[in-house]
Amino acid sequence: MSYPFQIKSLGQYHDAYKKSVEDPESYWASVAEYFQWRKTWDKVLEWNFKEPKIEWFRGAKLNITENCLDRHLADLGDKPAIIWEPNDPGDKIRVVTYKRLHKRVCQFAQVLKNNGVKKGDRVCIYMGMIPELAYAVLACARIGAIHSVIFGGFSAQSIADRLDDAKAEYIVTCDGAYRGSKDIPLKTVIDDALIGNKIIKRVIVYTRTRTPVSMIKGRDVWWEDEMEHAEAQIEKDDIVSFPAEEMDAEDPLFILYTSGSTGKPKGVVHTCAGYMVWTTYTFVNVFQYDPGQVHFCTADIGWVTGHSYILYGPLCAGATSLMFEGIPTWPDAGRLWEIVDKHKVNIIYTAPTAIRSLMGFGLDPLKGKDLSSLKTLGTVGEPINEEAWHWYDDHIGKRKCPIVDTWWQTETGGALISNLAGVTPAKPGWATLPIPGVQPVLVDENGKEVTEKDEHGLLKGNLCIKAPWPGIIRTTYGDHERCRTNYFATYENLYFTGDGAYKDENGFYRITGRVDDVLNVSGHRIGTAEVENAINMHAGVVESAVVGYPHEIKGQGLYAYVIYNRPHVDDELTRKDILATVTRIIGAIARPDKIQFVQGLPKTRSGKIMRRILRKIAEGETKNLGDTSTLLDPAVVDDIKNGRL
Ligand code: PRX
C-alpha cells in the first residue's frame, strides 16, 4: 500500500510540481481526496497577500483527529501509533496503538469538556515529552479548542506573557519532567506564571515525577482523577466514543509562539484543513514513508517540528511515530543509536546541532550499534555544514540512506524546500528543490528578482515565496496587522521568510540563515531584541546589544555587549547575575554564551546601534570593520575590540 499522492520518481516530481503551479486548485483538490471530510469544499483556494487573506478548502468541514485516529481504527487499530521511549533507558517502554490513542484522546476530550473547555477556547499545554502530551494536544483538536504548546524550557515569565497574549483560560501540565539527569519542576513554573493571573480557570496536572506540587483548591485538578471519571462517560459496552467537533476548514487549530525581530514573541496561527493536508503530504513525500515503518523525529513537541512530524503528519498518514522523552547525550552519547536499534527505527529526523554535538564524542558511542534498520535520515532547523552532513551519511546512514535537508519555519507549517528521500537528488548543505506548491523567488532589498549570478555562478538574495501553499500561516493571534507587516509588507505580493539563500544552476536552494535580527541557536529561533530586553531587566544594566557569532556546535552562539552602571568588582559574578536574569525572563535557552562589558556601543548620530560592527567583532574580525565614519564616537570601537572575549 502506498499513498495516492506519493511522488515516486524524479519525473513524477517534475509533473507534480508543474501541475501544482499551473493549476493549484485542481492539484490540491486531488491530494485532499485522501482525507476524511464531513463536507467537502466549495472553493479550493482564495487568497491575496495584501491583507493577507488566505483560505484553503473554503466551506469544508472536518475534524483533524478523525483523520489522525478514527479512520485508521478499522485497519490499523492494533498497530502502534506512538512508541514512547522514556528518559531512563531502564524504564518501561509504552506502545500506544491507534485504538488506545483514540480512546485516550476521547477520554481527555471528555475531561476538557467536563472542565468547561469549549470550541475556540485557548488551552496552554506545558508538559514533558510523554504520551499524555500527545493526548492533550489531540483532545484539544477533537473538541475544537486551540492548543498553545509551550516548550518546557521557557520560564514562568515567558509563560505568563504567552497566556496573556492568547487569553488562555486552561492549562494542562505535569508535576515535573525528566530530561537527562534533570527533573524540571513544571508545575512550580506554572504556579509562578499564575501569580496575579485572574483569567485561568483550571490547571490539569499529570503526575510524572512525583515532585511535590501545590494544588490550589478550585483551580488545580489531577489528570488521573479526571480521566478516571471520564472513562465511564466515553465507554459504553466496550465502544469508545466522543464525538469530534465539526470544524470549518479555516477554524484555528493551534497557536505556536515564535521569536521575531521585535522583543515580543508572536503567536503563529495554523488552521485545520490546510495544515492537515500540508503536514501529511510533506511527511509522506519528503521521508518517502512506507506504511509499517517507524519514524523517529527527535524534536520536542514544544516546537513546530514536533507538532508537524511527531504528531499531525505521521498520525494522519497512519504511521508509527516514536516519541522520546530524554536527550541524545544521556546517559551517554550513544542514546539515539541505542533507540534506533531497540525499536528498529527506519527514519530518523534531527537537528544539525544534535549531529555536531554527537560528532564531538567520536565513534565510540557507535560501537556495537547496528543501525541497519535505517532507511532515511533527515535534518531540520538550521543550515547543515558539510562535515556534519558527511558524518551523518558515513557513520549513521552507512552511505546507503538518503539524507533530506528540510528547510521550513514555524510559519510554514511543514517543509517547503527539501529533497524527497531517494527520489530527487541530494546535495550536502543544500535544501535543494521546492516541494510542489512552493514557488520560491530570490529578491534584492527592493524586492526585485535577482537575476545576476555571482562569481560562483550562483544567484543570491532574500528568500520569498510567491503564492500560498496549504500550510501557510494565516494570522498572528490577536493581531493580524502584525502578521501583515512581519511577512507580507516587506515586499509587495510576496511572503518574506526572513532568510537569505543561494540558488544554483539546477534550481537548488541553499539557505544561509536569517537576514533579520533573529538568531538560530541549536536550531531554535531567538530574537536578539528579546534577549536584550531580558538583559536590560537586570538592575545594573544600562544598555545591551546582542548579536550572533559562529558556534561550533550550536550553529550560532549569543554574544552580548553590556553597559553596566555599577563598578562591578567581580565580572564573573555579574555575568552570572545577568544569566540568572535571562533565565528568569525567557528561559535557559536564551542565555548568552559570551558577555562582554563595554563603556559604550557603536551608534550612529541618530542613535542607531551599528550591529554590523558588533557582529564582526564577535566573529573575530577586528580589521575590516567597514565604514565607521558615521559613528557618533568611533573610539568606542577600539575599546570593544580590545575587550573582545
Ligand atoms: O533560518 C531558517 C532555519 O530556521 C528558521 C525557522 O525556525 P523555526 O520557525 O524555529 O522552525 C524550525 C523548524 C522548522 C528558518 O527561518 N532553518 C530551518 N530549517 C533549515 C533552516 N536553515 C537552513 N536549512 C534548513 N534546513
Side-chain angles (χ1 to χ4, degrees), residues 8 46 292 411 459 505 514:
K8 294 192 179 142
E46 200 61 56
E411 295 84 347
L459 296 170
E505 70 284 1
R514 307 288 305 194

Side-chain angles (χ1 to χ4, degrees), residues 44-236:
V44 176
L45 173 63
E46 200 61 56
W47 68 287
N48 74 69
F49 276 173
K50 210 169 156 54
E51 295 176 63
K53 186 169 172 62
I54 301 151
E55 287 181 295
W56 278 96
F57 309 106
R58 185 207 274 165
K61 304 283 181 195
L62 74 154
N63 186 290
I64 195 168
T65 69
E66 289 183 336
N67 285 274
C68 289
L69 303 170
D70 304 57
R71 91 185 148 128
H72 300 316
L73 292 179
D75 295 338
L76 303 172
D78 296 320
K79 292 268 174 341
I82 294 175
I83 298 175
W84 179 73
E85 170 71 20
N87 181 59
D88 191 328
D91 274 0
K92 195 167 168 283
I93 293 159
R94 290 166 64 185
V95 176
V96 186
T97 62
Y98 271 95
K99 221 184 220 153
R100 175 52 63 107
L101 183 59
H102 173 259
K103 176 172 173 181
R104 293 287 178 246
V105 170
C106 288
Q107 208 174 336
F108 196 66
Q110 181 69 50
V111 168
L112 292 173
K113 190 175 169 189
N114 293 347
N115 281 282
V117 182
K118 297 179 304 301
K119 178 179 177 180
D121 288 346
R122 277 78 51 216
V123 178
C124 160
I125 302 176
Y126 187 67
M127 298 174 90
M129 283 285 285
I130 50 176
E132 285 70 18
L133 165 57
Y135 307 162
V137 165
L138 296 169
C140 287
R142 189 139 186 114
I143 67 165
I146 303 169
H147 58 78
S148 163
V149 183
I150 301 181
F151 174 61
F154 280 111
S155 70
Q157 182 65 55
S158 291
I159 296 168
D161 292 345
R162 285 160 173 77
L163 290 174
D164 181 48
D165 188 82
K167 312 249 173 320
E169 293 174 319
Y170 303 91
I171 296 178
V172 187
T173 189
C174 303
D175 52 351
Y178 294 124
R179 265 178 78 78
S181 59
K182 292 197 195 116
D183 169 350
I184 303 156
L186 297 181
K187 174 62 166 60
T188 307
V189 181
I190 289 290
D191 287 337
D192 289 345
L194 292 186
I195 294 171
N197 181 304
K198 298 210 168 40
I199 299 178
I200 290 293
K201 294 181 176 153
R202 192 70 83 232
V203 181
I204 303 173
V205 186
Y206 178 78
T207 310
R208 169 65 186 131
T209 56
R210 283 305 283 120
T211 311
V213 288
S214 67
M215 293 292 283
I216 305 296
K217 194 181 288 168
R219 188 194 72 184
D220 301 352
V221 294
W222 295 111
W223 168 294
E224 294 77 3
D225 296 347
E226 297 295 307
M227 283 293 261
E228 202 181 310
H229 177 58
E231 189 161 17
Q233 294 175 276
I234 59 147
E235 199 167 28
K236 287 207 178 63

Side-chain angles (χ1 to χ4, degrees), residues 409-430:
Q409 311 178 298
T410 304
E411 295 84 347
T412 70
L416 291 202
I417 302 181
S418 172
N419 48 319
L420 311 183
V423 170
T424 64
K427 181 173 173 181
W430 292 67

Side-chain angles (χ1 to χ4, degrees), residues 581-597:
T581 312
V582 173
T583 306
R584 184 152 295 276
I585 303 297
I586 305 178
I589 51 169
R591 285 155 63 101
D593 299 274
K594 295 184 179 179
I595 297 175
Q596 179 182 344
F597 294 109

Side-chain angles (χ1 to χ4, degrees), residues 279-299:
T279 51
T280 313
Y281 178 87
T282 52
F283 169 70
V284 166
N285 279 311
V286 167
F287 300 105
Q288 288 293 305
Y289 183 82
D290 277 331
Q293 289 186 328
V294 177
H295 172 77
F296 178 19
C297 167
T298 71

Side-chain angles (χ1 to χ4, degrees), residues 332 334-335 337-338 341 364-371 398:
D332 60 55
R335 187 68 198 276
W337 322 129
E338 181 231 352
D341 282 352
D364 266 5
L366 284 162
K367 281 207 183 113
K369 307 292 190 304
D370 176 43
L371 305 184
K398 314 273 170 72

Side-chain angles (χ1 to χ4, degrees), residues 305 381-383 405-410 499 511 514 520 525:
T305 308
E382 46 180 326
D405 177 348
T406 66
W407 170 82
W408 58 295
Q409 311 178 298
T410 304
D499 279 325
I511 285 73
R514 307 288 305 194
N520 195 320
R525 249 159 87 169

